[in-house]
Amino acid sequence: MSELLWDDVKCFFDPELMGALPEVRVPDASVEDWQAVLDLIIARGWRCQYSEGGAVMPVPAAEEGLSRPAGAERGELRVWPAAVVLAIFRFYAPEEVSFEVDLRELHGQERLEVFCGFLRAIGERLGKPVLMDPEGDYGHPVLGFDVATGQVVPLAEPLAT
C-alpha cells in the first residue's frame, strides 16, 4: 500500500491546478547521480527509449548524454515504470536530475502507488529528495520523496478542488 491516499492528494494531480506536465527533480545532483538513475532503470527492467532530435538511439552513459556540444539537440529518455505511467528525463544539466510526468495519466490509487514507488526507488538509490513542482512554478514542490522517512509525502497543503 502507498504512503499516500489518492483522495488526500488528488489535487496535486489535477492538470488544471498543477499544469499537465509538472517537473520532478533531484536537486544537488551530479553526473554520478544521473548514472545511478540510468543503472536503476536498467536494473528494474523498466521499459525505456532514448532519442536525440527524434532519432532513437541506445541509452548513453550519463556523462555522454550530459556533455552534448553547444547547440546540439539534448537527449530525451522515456521511461515506463508501468505500462500506464511515463516519465520523460531530459539531459539538461548534471546538477539536477529532472523529468516530467503527464498528470493526465496519473489518476487513482493504483497509478499513484506506481508513481510513489518510482520516486521512492530513485530517492533511495541516490539518498536524496525527489521533488515534484507544479508546471511553471519551479522551486515550490507539492510532494516528494523524503529521505529521512523513506516515504513520499505532501510538501504543501492540499488545495481545495
Side-chain angles (χ1 to χ4, degrees), residues 46-121:
W46 291 325
R47 188 167 67 95
C48 65
Q49 180 182 42
Y50 179 79
S51 62
E52 290 178 9
V56 175
M57 308 170 76
V59 177
E63 185 173 8
E64 180 185 341
L66 291 163
S67 63
R68 305 284 301 143
E73 187 84 30
R74 291 288 171 194
E76 176 181 282
L77 179 63
R78 294 175 171 265
V79 178
W80 291 268
V84 294
V85 176
L86 170 64
I88 303 172
F89 289 80
R90 302 190 197 285
F91 289 73
Y92 288 130
E95 300 83 26
E96 186 170 84
V97 175
S98 63
F99 60 95
E100 295 173 341
V101 292
D102 188 337
L103 293 187
R104 295 167 293 204
E105 296 176 342
L106 293 173
H107 286 280
Q109 188 66 38
E110 183 179 331
R111 291 183 186 189
L112 175 63
E113 289 179 17
V114 169
F115 180 68
C116 288
F118 187 62
L119 297 188
R120 191 178 327 102

